[in-house]
Every structure is written in C-alpha cells, then in structure tokens.
Amino acid sequence: MLPILFTLISLPYAPEALEPVMSKETIEYHYGKHLQGYVDNLNKLVAGTEYEGMPLEEIVVKAQGGIFNNAGQILNHNLYFTQFAPVSDLTKALTNERMNELTVVKAIVRDFGSLEAFQAEFEQKGVTLFGSGWVWLAADKDGKLVITQEPNAGNPLTKGLKPLLTMDVWEHAYYIDYRNRRAAHLQALWQIINWNEIERRYVCK
Ligand code: MN
C-alpha cells in the first residue's frame, strides 16, 4: 500500500456556515470533490519520486506538469478555504476599529490608496483573467503589496511573492451559486474574508 502523503484539510467552519455567500452545495463539490480529487491525484503522482514527502510550497516552486498542477491546486485551495469565516462571526470580530489597526490593511491603504480601491482593482483582475485561474494579493520581501493574476494552478510563490488572499475564478468555484456571474461572486466574497487570517499571513515570517 502507498503511504498517504497529502490529506484534505479540515474546514474551520461548518459546510453551511458561509451561506448565502457560498452554499453548502458549493462547499460539498468544491471542497469535497474538486479539492479531494487534487489530493488523490497528487498522492498517486508523487509516489516514488523526489517530491514524495516534500512540503506543498516547495513542490510548487520546483515541479512542472501534473505534479505542479495538482500540488498548486491543493496549496491554492488550502489558502482559499482557510481565509473565510461566517458573516456573523466576522461582524463581531472585525469592527471598523479592528480593521483599521491591521498591519495588512494599513499596507493596502499605503499601496492602493484605500481598501475600496484595492477591492475594485482585485475584482477587475478577477473578472479579466481569461479562462481558469486565481487572482491574488501577495507581498514582496519588503512587504509591498501587489495583485497578481495566475492562470490555472498558478501561485505567486513561483514569482518569489508571499500569497496572502486569493479568489478562485475557475467556473467550479461559482457556477452552482452564481452561474455565469463571476463578477457578482467575487464582489460577494468580501463579506466572508477573515482579515484576521490575512493579517496572520502578512505578519508571519
Ligand atoms: Mn477551485
């Protein structure tokens, strides 16, 4: 029997907890079937290779082809699903005062002018990414923030940037709840972004 190297992450919320922004059915398919599929594929692909036992972040920087695609999709979805929280929790935890205190929010205001200007540019980059992929907020080594568009399984790690926040623009991310309305989906996701988690990623070394 092959050793199980990669496993499906646990979600930090119940599958229905992000409704109505993200339905239980979307979680069941996107997390339960798509992400599980990437985990199963990667476990088969890395068996007996130099990538067996390697952290996802390292595989994404070193690998090509199927191993890169499946490792990238696992890493991207892990960052994606762990950046959300139920609206009711966020309303309590993220007051305007708390938001304004966050280092990452201060950096957004510094680098994009305002949180609203950043969100508008981020949504625009998500809408104009042709085909499947991911839009990212990432930081360079000096903490300067950039928005990147990455096709398919791309992650800003391959450009030497630290990934902080992401939106998945593969159709499987929004077609159950929003059909073809990608822009409406991206706009709605801000309601469930847990900025305390984005802050943790930004300030950690
Ligand atoms: Mn996805």
Side-chain angles (χ1 to χ4, degrees), residues 92-145:
K92 283 178 225 142
L94 283 171
T95 58
N96 285 341
E97 292 77 36
R98 169 67 184 156
M99 277 295 282
N100 292 334
E101 283 170 8
L102 297 177
T103 316
V104 69
V105 171
K106 287 178 185 163
I108 284 172
V109 172
R110 179 195 67 206
D111 294 339
F112 298 95
S114 67
L115 187 59
E116 294 70 26
F118 156 72
Q119 288 175 326
E121 184 180 336
F122 194 94
E123 289 171 37
Q124 180 62 18
K125 291 232 164 97
V127 168
T128 56
L129 200 172
F130 187 78
S132 296
W134 300 78
V135 58
W136 294 88
L137 173 68
D140 73 10
K141 60 179 173 22
D142 300 318
K144 182 177 169 17
L145 297 174

Side-chain angles (χ1 to χ4, degrees), residues 12-33:
Y13 41 78
E16 67 279 3
L18 304 182
E19 292 186 343
V21 176
M22 189 179 290
S23 68
K24 182 181 181 189
E25 188 182 1
T26 286
I27 295 281
E28 284 170 352
Y29 276 83
H30 195 186
Y31 164 80
K33 296 191 187 295

Side-chain angles (χ1 to χ4, degrees), residues 8-73:
L8 187 65
I9 53 154
S10 300
L11 294 179
Y13 41 78
E16 67 279 3
L18 304 182
E19 292 186 343
V21 176
M22 189 179 290
S23 68
K24 182 181 181 189
E25 188 182 1
T26 286
I27 295 281
E28 284 170 352
Y29 276 83
H30 195 186
Y31 164 80
K33 296 191 187 295
H34 288 277
L35 179 52
Q36 181 70 63
Y38 298 126
V39 170
D40 294 342
N41 286 341
L42 188 65
N43 281 326
K44 287 181 199 141
L45 289 168
V46 299
T49 74
E50 62 182 301
Y51 300 107
E52 205 169 9
M54 198 182 273
L56 286 171
E57 290 82 355
E58 199 177 336
I59 298 179
V60 164
V61 171
K62 292 180 175 167
Q64 309 287 325
I67 292 180
F68 170 82
N69 287 333
N70 285 281
Q73 285 295 73

